[in-house]
Amino acid sequence: MDSKVVSKGLAPVITIDGPTASGKGTVALGVASALGWHVLDSGALYRLTAFAAYKAGVNIEHVAEVTNIAASLDIMFTSEGAVLHGSNVEHEIRQEHIGKLASVVAAYSSVRKTLLDRQRAFRVSPGLVADGRDMGTVIFPDAPLKIFLIASVQARAERRYKQLISKGISAKLSDLTQDLQERDERDKSRLNAPLVAATDAHTIDSSSLSVNETIEQVLNLWRNVKGLGS
Ligand code: CDP
């Protein structure tokens, strides 16, 4: 195995960053399942923070209160989805309005700082596939393989539409297109951990790739990192 992979005695990490609805979550799950590794859906932590603040009636502009909420989250990730303070909230946190609030609270540096250690704690043997916006740039800068997954706005809006409908959440394609452009803008322009490819990331455009083809590309890159070729 490459010396970078085992250099610090830490479990290896593959980071998958990219804009909203680029397929990061699905690809991360597929890669993790092929390798038998753990998964970190870091966006879920921001969604859970936004949802908990919303439920508590906290004004989302109130940075200190939102940060307290982030610090006191009691979270578990199960095969049935995210559990917050003992209740399964998977369906609630996937709603688009929570996604929008998530991108607001994600711009607060105090919230990001509060969630940092929780994210790093996911790095356990035999390995981790971490998906988000800053996995390769901030959370796991030493990851031996970094992917920046992109897709056209149209492909992403269509995917998000199908995903929401399949979960029984109503959606309108035109609203989704506008929302995801606004979210991209907020994620890219924020001062803290903006959405940007790490300098050593491999960019994959999945606009015309199937999920399996995208997973295969990531696995091939991983074989190369390990020196096994593809
Ligand atoms: O599903 P989608 O890609 O739209 O979003 P997500 O991955 O569930 O993340 C929700 C929001 O959290 C994003 O719009 C980002 O603003 C924020 N986020 C972040 O700032 N950093 C991360 N590592 C992951 C998500």
Side-chain angles (χ1 to χ4, degrees), residues 88 179 199:
N88 188 308
D179 282 358
T199 47

Side-chain angles (χ1 to χ4, degrees), residues 164-184:
L164 290 172
I165 297 297
S166 74
K167 287 184 177 171
I169 301 174
S170 65
K172 215 169 123 199
L173 194 59
S174 55
D175 290 349
L176 286 177
T177 308
Q178 195 188 334
D179 282 358
L180 71 82
Q181 280 170 313
E182 281 170 18
R183 200 117 67 89
D184 283 356

Side-chain angles (χ1 to χ4, degrees), residues 19 21 26 30 42 52 58 89-90 96 98 100 102 105 110 115 125 137 139 145 148 158 166 178 186 209 226:
T26 314
S42 62
V58 165
V89 294
E90 181 63 25
E96 276 302 287
I98 297 297
K100 267 198 234 179
V105 306
S110 50
L115 296 177
S125 190
T137 49
I139 309 294
L145 176 61
F148 197 67
E158 280 166 14
S166 74
Q178 195 188 334
R186 196 160 36 230
L209 294 178
K226 290 202 305 171

Side-chain angles (χ1 to χ4, degrees), residues 20 24 42 47 103 106 112 133-134 160 183 187 190:
T20 193
K24 303 178 302 289
S42 62
R47 285 175 179 266
S103 85
R112 302 199 75 85
R133 304 292 187 286
D134 61 342
R160 180 51 50 94
R183 200 117 67 89
D187 289 351
R190 70 181 176 216

